[in-house]
Amino acid sequence: NGLHLSWLSNDAETGNGMLIAMSNSAENFNGIQVGAANENLEGKGLQIGAFNKGEKFKGVQIGLVNKNPNGKGLQIGFWNKNAKRTLPIINF
């Protein structure tokens, strides 16, 4: 829990807080991920990066490519894919 700060990569199984690095990966994380590539399989929060991926993620994804096939939330980016549809710019 808390702030995970690295210039290269952060990896967390479970936790709450903020991950900031070039690459962030988590299985079940609640909070904010900021990096070039972010992955959160099952959690809640905010992802900001070039490529954001969730599996059952609930929250907001802001990036060039956002993918969240089984989750819920708002996606803002060049290409967005969720369980319902694939849309550019904004998807919900």
Side-chain angles (χ1 to χ4, degrees), residues 20 34 39 41 45 68 80 82 88:
I20 301 173
V34 179
E39 182 177 16
L41 298 181
N68 194 12
N80 306 298
N82 66 15

Side-chain angles (χ1 to χ4, degrees), residues 12-63:
E13 189 171 322
T14 60
N16 301 295
M18 188 173 207
L19 301 175
I20 301 173
M22 289 296 291
S23 172
N24 297 300
S25 178
E27 282 190 36
N28 189 345
F29 189 80
N30 298 315
I32 300 170
Q33 292 179 308
V34 179
N38 300 303
E39 182 177 16
N40 191 348
L41 298 181
E42 187 174 353
K44 298 177 185 176
L46 171 67
Q47 292 181 322
I48 301 172
F51 179 76
N52 300 306
K53 181 181 178 188
E55 191 62 39
K56 294 179 183 175
F57 180 73
K58 295 179 183 176
V60 178
Q61 294 177 313
I62 301 171

